[in-house]
């Protein structure tokens, strides 16, 4: 289908938008810093951050599921833009928050364009019913929208048609989120664990779909997101805990884990993240022997 054919079925998009209706559009710019940390250490860092940050109202204890369907061209254009480090690059995805068992055609999802301009990450998205999102991104058909939403919807449809985008990989993980308070209201820190995905069964509601880990399950991605400047106490925490910045993309991990492209320098290898060695279970005799120096030193 050509873009001109697709845009012809615009429906009621030209209708005036009532002033009292909240827009489904959302856009924001920010800087993002990523760290790869063991799950146990991430829990310690989260507890320390909680002394100066609040739990996101949408983040229950234990976190919430985040599932993203990424679209790419047959030649993996968006993947290679990331690998080549283009200063301007973008990708298209459909994202669902929550349990996949509850997904239906009416479930709200976000159709999102995430792009990088130099060091700034920009996100623009619109919330649509899942069936409508599939109509736009999979069927390549124009969907009903308001005049305010038109530029974004047109851009999504143009990308899908012009670049022949198609579902390429799904990623999923469990996320816990903290938000800054007082002077740090623009600060957000997320912890993503159990990062997994699949390269088939692209409907979110596919029963029995099999996912596999694309990052070692004992590792998590900690991400610091700020509007302008990272608070000094955050950088002090990272230095004190010897955290190292890492360039990691969950989409890139999925593409390479499933053999859709050669593994790159941006791929996190499992052999580089060995699981922690469990400590031996102490016997009563050994416990008494190990405690002896401590007791002697305390006297």
């Amino acid at each position: 289908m050509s873009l001109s054919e697709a845009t012809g079925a615009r429906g009621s998009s030209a209708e005036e938008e009532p002033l009292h209706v909240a827009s489904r559009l959302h856009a924001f710019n920010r800087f993002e810093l990523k760290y790869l940390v063991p799950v146990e250490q991430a829990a310690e860092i989260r507890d320390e951050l909680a002394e100066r940050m609040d739990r996101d109202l949408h983040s229950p204890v234990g976190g919430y599921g985040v599932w993203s369907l990424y679209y790419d061209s047959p030649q993996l254009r968006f993947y290679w833009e990331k690998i080549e480090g283009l200063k301007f690059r973008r990708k298209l995805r459909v994202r669902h928050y929550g349990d996949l068992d509850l997904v239906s055609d009416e479930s709200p999802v976000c159709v999102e364009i995430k792009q990088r301009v130099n060091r700034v990450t920009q996100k623009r998205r619109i919330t649509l019913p899942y069936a409508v999102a599939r109509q736009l991104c999979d069927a390549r058909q124009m969907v009903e929208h308001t005049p305010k939403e038109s530029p974004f919807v047109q851009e999504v449809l143009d990308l899908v048609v012009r670049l022949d985008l198609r579902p390429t990989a799904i990623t999923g993980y469990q996320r816990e989120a903290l938000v800054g308070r007082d002077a740090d209201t623009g600060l957000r820190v997320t912890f993503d664990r159990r990062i997994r995905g699949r390269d088939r069964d692209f409907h979110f509601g596919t029963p029995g779909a099999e996912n596999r880990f694309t990052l070692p399950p004992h590792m998590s991605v900690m991400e610091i997101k700020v509007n302008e400047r990272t608070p000094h106490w955050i950088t002090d925490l990272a230095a004190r805990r010897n955290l190292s910045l890492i360039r990691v993309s969950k989409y890139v991990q999925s593409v390479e884990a499933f053999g859709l492209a050669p593994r790159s320098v941006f791929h996190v290898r499992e052999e580089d993240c060995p699981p922690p060695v469990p400590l031996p279970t102490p016997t009563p005799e050994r416990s008494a022997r190990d405690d002896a120096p401590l007791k002697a030193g305390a006297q």
Side-chain angles (χ1 to χ4, degrees):
M1 175 186 294
S2 69
L3 179 59
S4 59
E5 291 172 332
T7 56
R10 190 167 304 174
S12 59
S13 63
E15 295 179 2
E16 290 296 327
E17 180 181 5
L19 295 179
H20 64 278
V21 174
S23 174
R24 301 177 296 179
L25 278 173
H26 184 59
F28 51 91
N29 300 344
R30 64 191 180 196
F31 296 94
E32 298 181 347
L33 306 174
K34 295 181 181 180
Y35 303 88
L36 193 64
V37 296
V39 170
E40 292 183 359
Q41 184 182 8
E44 296 173 359
I45 296 173
R46 180 201 61 213
D47 292 343
E48 181 175 346
L49 291 175
E51 298 176 4
R52 304 187 64 158
M53 301 181 69
D54 298 321
R55 182 178 294 277
D56 189 312
L57 294 178
H58 301 288
S59 179
V61 175
Y64 55 95
V66 181
W67 295 90
S68 300
L69 170 59
Y70 287 88
Y71 291 76
D72 211 333
S73 70
Q75 297 78 31
L76 299 179
R77 172 180 176 138
F78 296 156
Y79 165 83
W80 287 110
E81 287 181 350
K82 165 66 176 178
I83 296 302
E84 294 170 4
L86 298 190
K87 291 186 176 181
F88 174 80
R89 58 182 185 269
R90 55 185 169 179
K91 50 181 174 272
L92 174 69
R93 66 190 180 194
V94 174
R95 171 165 285 189
H96 169 73
Y97 295 94
D99 194 335
L100 290 185
D101 292 339
L102 305 178
V103 171
S104 68
D105 284 349
E106 291 73 36
S107 298
V109 299
C110 295
V111 176
E112 181 174 281
I113 294 176
K114 180 179 181 180
Q115 62 189 37
R116 180 97 167 190
V117 182
N118 293 321
R119 295 177 55 245
V120 179
T121 298
Q122 301 177 339
K123 291 185 181 181
R124 293 171 293 131
R125 65 190 181 197
I126 185 172
T127 302
L128 298 171
Y130 185 34
V132 178
R134 297 201 311 274
Q135 179 184 350
L136 176 63
C137 298
D138 294 343
R140 305 179 181 185
Q141 297 175 357
M142 180 57 70
V143 298
E144 291 188 4
H145 59 273
T146 66
K148 184 184 297 185
E149 297 163 347
S150 184
F152 180 78
V153 174
Q154 294 275 4
E155 182 179 356
V156 170
L157 190 59
D158 172 70
L159 284 173
V160 172
V161 173
R162 179 167 50 85
L163 301 181
D164 190 22
L165 301 185
R166 57 194 65 185
T168 302
I170 281 182
T171 66
Y173 45 89
Q174 198 73 6
R175 165 169 286 183
E176 292 184 87
L178 300 172
V179 294
R181 64 168 79 115
D182 301 328
D184 299 321
T185 52
L187 172 66
R188 179 177 172 85
V189 180
T190 58
F191 297 89
D192 299 336
R193 68 181 189 280
R194 292 183 56 79
I195 299 170
R196 54 209 188 276
R198 60 182 186 258
D199 62 345
R200 63 201 67 191
D201 298 328
F202 291 128
H203 191 291
F204 283 146
T206 301
E210 295 186 7
N211 300 292
R212 79 181 194 200
F213 288 108
T214 56
L215 279 175
H218 62 279
M219 302 299 292
S220 64
V221 174
M222 170 185 167
E223 196 164 345
I224 299 172
K225 310 170 186 187
V226 294
N227 293 338
E228 295 180 359
R229 183 179 55 84
T230 305
H232 67 85
W233 60 269
I234 284 278
T235 55
D236 289 346
L237 180 151
R240 177 164 34 86
R241 290 185 172 269
N242 295 317
L243 302 182
S244 299
L245 285 171
I246 186 171
R247 299 185 66 180
V248 60
S249 162
K250 299 181 183 76
Y251 172 58
V252 166
Q253 286 293 130
S254 290
V255 167
E256 297 179 356
F258 295 112
L260 304 179
R263 295 194 173 188
S264 68
V265 295
F266 300 108
H267 185 85
V268 177
R269 301 182 305 170
E270 190 162 358
E271 53 266 34
D272 291 339
C273 304
V277 178
L279 296 176
T281 303
T283 62
E285 180 181 353
R286 180 173 180 176
S287 296
R289 185 174 66 250
D290 292 344
D291 288 345
L294 178 60
K295 292 178 180 177
Q299 291 177 345

